[in-house]
Amino acid sequence: MKRSFLDPSPGTLAFGGLVFTSLVLVAIGPPSARKPWAIENASSPASAPSQVAGPDITLVSVSVDLPDDTVPFPDGPHAAVINANCTSCHSATMALSQPRLSRDQWKAIVEKMRATYKAPVPASAVPEILDYLTAMSGKLPVNGSPTAASADRSGGTG
Amino acid sequence: MGSGALLAAPALGQGLVDLALPGGPSSRPTSSSFPEKGEMILQRARPPLLETPMEVFDQGVFTPNDRFFVRWHWADIPTSIDVQRYRIAVRGHVNRSLAISLAELLRMPRVELAAVNQCSGNSRGLFQPRVAGAQWRHGAMGNAKWVGVRLRHVLDLAGVKPGAIAVRFGALDQPVVPTGPDFTKSISLDHARDGEVMIAFEMNGEQMPLLNGFPVRLIVPGWYSTYWVKMLNDIEVLDRPDDGYWMAKAYKIPDTPHANVAPGTKDFPSVPINRMVPRSWITGWADGQTFSYAPELPVGGIAMGGDAGVAKVEISGDLGRTWHEASLGPDEGRYSFRRFDMTLRVPHAGSYTLLSRCTNTNGVTQPMTPNWNPGGFMRGCVEAARVRLT
């Protein structure tokens, strides 16, 4: 098929800056107790991986190492507080990759982490965490930022 | 920190990509450091969020296992799986509780199906106004040939009792904080027994990567990935609605056409996210890429019908005023990606915006206008692919 119907249009693509860092991760929480059935299903690696065979397929036991990243929240006021409280469950990159959010929006997220996901973040640390996150968002351009209120009936994730 | 920049870890980040998310931050490291994975866009290391680079979708309608996207909710993921000790519990409102071994599962009647697995929040980073969450571009999706056992078969072995209404699925991952909500999802009993929902043990002809759910994951064709529970080891038949967090609170969409509400809407009736919608992407170039001018421009890509097959894909070069039907590649099944191609005659050098639009076999066509909801779910609008010919 050949067509000729194109209209020229202006098009530009912006590329953001980039920064590398080699700081170390500060805090990782202790592993929690395994589910009862997890003990049955998971195992330490044996010398030769065990197998289960069926018609036309053999499943081979797997043992892997999952890499972590070493990117903490960058230096700034209250960086120590956010690194101590907000990296046990997830990499700092989860927050660092967010779009510009208002203090109220960050507050809704931090409170969701505490109330719903049971993050062991003391209430006394929340204002300093919000200071840090709001300042971080403040460095992003206003263009494209959310205008929505913090209320979220979707429950998020995905 | 640099304005708009995402910091890259030297140990994990081997390159950088720009996802061109409006307002940023847009830069992401790429990494080949994850087990059984090739080069992926590193959205988050722990728990892993790995996005498939768009060029992978130009190489075939099936996404290689080592490039297939990865998404986990909790960081406590087993790193060792012993296939001889693995059991899948079937319990709850059944006549006989079962603990099915993989050896037993591999002897059961099999079904094979090609199906797209797409994150509910795929393309969330393009929502405007922007919304919080994993900031994916389009690569939180993949297509594979899945082989496994019909869920219906396993339910029949256990014997579902009268009064059952839903089936809930649990897995080996667990909350880092013990009191946090364990990740479980459920579907209606009728859906669970439809003969398409599958317990898969094979992905594109091989066992699946651990990060994609080894040794078995649920396949829910036509539905978003949140239901495709990885490392599935618990199947619970319910005689009551699932009021757990992941069904009752999370992954909820507005109960409106296209899950669309006006930006800033605070309150609306909501339902659990469910069936996917048609989508299509021109994959022959990265958005905004520059090429030497030639009078003919090949325009190709992939389309999906969502919860139905792909009926047609059309291309527009005039921002949607006129549309021209592309030719479709082989039909790998209604839930699969489908290739489309067309050759355009380009009058002269310049910048061009190409649009692709899929219509599925239910007659549903991608809208021109993006939807918006606070969760950043279910994007399905026509996408633009800009190219500069010099």
Side-chain angles (χ1 to χ4, degrees):
Chain A
M1 241 173 295
K2 296 185 192 301
R3 304 277 182 185
S4 179
F5 55 87
L6 293 171
D7 285 345
S9 65
T12 57
L13 188 65
F15 289 89
L18 73 101
V19 177
F20 286 94
T21 185
S22 60
L23 300 173
V24 292
L25 185 67
V26 172
I28 299 176
S32 58
R34 284 268 168 214
K35 294 172 184 174
W37 54 86
I39 295 169
E40 183 64 30
N41 281 318
S43 73
S44 47
S47 51
S50 57
Q51 301 183 351
V52 170
D56 302 320
I57 187 168
T58 298
L59 299 180
V60 181
S61 293
V62 168
S63 185
V64 302
D65 289 318
L66 292 182
D68 201 352
D69 69 19
T70 54
V71 184
F73 287 93
D75 281 347
H78 312 306
V81 176
I82 196 166
N83 275 312
N85 282 284
C86 301
T87 56
S88 294
C89 294
H90 60 77
S91 308
T93 48
M94 188 59 187
L96 296 174
S97 63
Q98 294 305 306
R100 182 188 173 99
L101 300 173
S102 68
R103 188 181 182 92
D104 280 353
Q105 289 173 314
W106 278 121
K107 185 176 186 206
I109 292 170
V110 172
E111 291 304 334
K112 181 180 173 182
M113 295 300 138
R114 297 177 71 230
T116 300
Y117 295 112
K118 311 297 182 190
V121 176
S124 60
V126 172
E128 292 178 339
I129 292 170
L130 295 180
D131 285 350
Y132 183 96
L133 293 169
T134 307
M136 181 183 82
S137 274
K139 295 174 181 172
L140 292 169
V142 177
N143 181 31
S145 70
T147 59
S150 56
D152 179 359
R153 294 293 309 277
S154 74
T157 80
Chain B
M1 65 182 293
S3 174
L6 179 61
L7 302 172
L12 291 180
Q14 281 117 36
L16 280 171
V17 292
D18 189 305
L19 298 182
L21 308 182
S26 274
S27 184
R28 301 284 189 277
T30 58
S31 176
S32 305
S33 300
F34 286 79
E36 306 169 278
K37 289 289 159 186
E39 187 181 41
M40 301 293 287
I41 298 167
L42 182 60
Q43 290 277 8
R44 184 181 70 190
R46 177 175 48 87
L49 297 178
L50 308 179
E51 178 165 349
T52 302
M54 209 60 193
E55 64 266 24
V56 173
F57 302 113
D58 197 50
Q59 295 160 9
V61 294
F62 292 107
T63 314
N65 292 0
D66 69 350
R67 309 301 295 279
F68 210 97
F69 90 101
V70 169
R71 193 269 185 265
W72 292 82
H73 296 87
W74 288 110
D76 193 346
I77 303 165
T79 53
S80 284
I81 296 291
D82 183 333
V83 293
Q84 291 186 344
R85 297 173 68 191
Y86 198 92
R87 297 291 183 276
I88 305 166
V90 186
R91 63 191 179 94
H93 207 62
V94 295
N95 293 322
R96 293 167 297 282
S97 291
L98 305 175
I100 299 172
S101 69
L102 294 176
E104 291 168 321
L105 189 73
L106 295 186
R107 288 195 298 268
M108 293 179 186
R110 293 181 188 177
V111 59
E112 176 175 334
L113 194 96
V116 172
N117 176 22
Q118 181 185 212
C119 183
S120 306
N122 193 24
S123 318
R124 178 185 288 121
L126 297 174
F127 271 57
Q128 294 191 74
R130 296 283 299 278
V131 295
Q135 300 299 319
W136 306 106
R137 196 168 163 87
H138 298 307
M141 62 176 185
N143 184 42
K145 275 182 188 162
W146 310 95
V147 175
V149 174
R150 288 181 183 86
L151 179 60
R152 181 175 65 201
H153 179 79
V154 169
L155 292 174
D156 287 349
L157 289 178
V160 175
K161 285 182 177 175
I165 62 168
V167 184
R168 178 159 58 196
F169 308 95
L172 276 180
D173 59 322
Q174 58 185 6
V176 173
V177 183
T179 51
D182 190 22
F183 182 69
T184 58
K185 296 294 289 188
S186 62
I187 59 177
S188 75
L189 180 65
D190 285 346
H191 189 185
R193 292 180 49 82
D194 73 356
E196 291 186 335
V197 177
M198 177 201 313
I199 303 167
F201 48 76
E202 187 180 296
M203 174 181 182
N204 288 327
E206 301 173 322
Q207 68 181 40
M208 64 192 74
L210 181 138
L211 287 174
N212 292 112
F214 182 77
V216 290
R217 80 178 298 173
L218 197 70
I219 305 302
V220 188
W223 284 48
Y224 284 97
S225 184
T226 183
Y227 296 97
W228 299 40
V229 174
K230 302 181 289 296
M231 282 189 193
L232 173 71
N233 78 331
D234 190 36
I235 299 171
E236 181 185 9
V237 178
L238 303 176
D239 62 355
R240 62 194 185 283
D242 182 0
D243 59 358
Y245 167 74
W246 297 100
M247 287 302 295
K249 300 287 189 192
Y251 286 107
K252 301 290 284 292
I253 57 170
D255 191 11
T256 58
H258 306 290
N260 184 51
V261 293
T265 303
K266 294 177 184 176
D267 203 11
F268 45 78
S270 66
V271 295
I273 196 167
N274 48 85
R275 297 168 180 275
M276 296 193 292
V277 294
R279 301 194 72 180
S280 61
W281 299 266
I282 293 167
T283 56
W285 60 81
D287 189 24
Q289 197 170 345
T290 299
F291 295 102
S292 296
Y293 170 78
E296 292 188 344
L297 176 68
V299 178
I302 52 164
M304 55 181 280
D307 64 345
V310 173
K312 67 175 176 180
V313 176
E314 299 160 292
I315 306 294
S316 176
D318 56 10
L319 302 180
R321 284 192 291 276
T322 59
W323 294 92
H324 308 272
E325 198 164 337
S327 53
L328 296 180
D331 183 359
E332 302 284 356
R334 61 199 301 239
Y335 300 116
S336 173
F337 281 146
R338 192 154 183 191
R339 178 80 198 178
F340 64 86
D341 283 289
M342 174 180 275
T343 301
L344 302 175
R345 183 169 297 281
V346 184
H348 50 75
S351 290
Y352 298 93
T353 298
L354 280 300
L355 308 177
S356 62
R357 181 174 78 174
C358 175
T359 299
N360 74 14
T361 52
N362 289 339
V364 178
T365 299
Q366 289 184 258
M368 287 292 287
T369 309
N371 68 328
W372 193 93
N373 55 67
F377 293 136
M378 224 170 123
R379 183 172 169 102
C381 64
V382 166
E383 306 288 354
R386 291 162 296 174
V387 63
R388 168 175 277 188
L389 304 175
T390 58

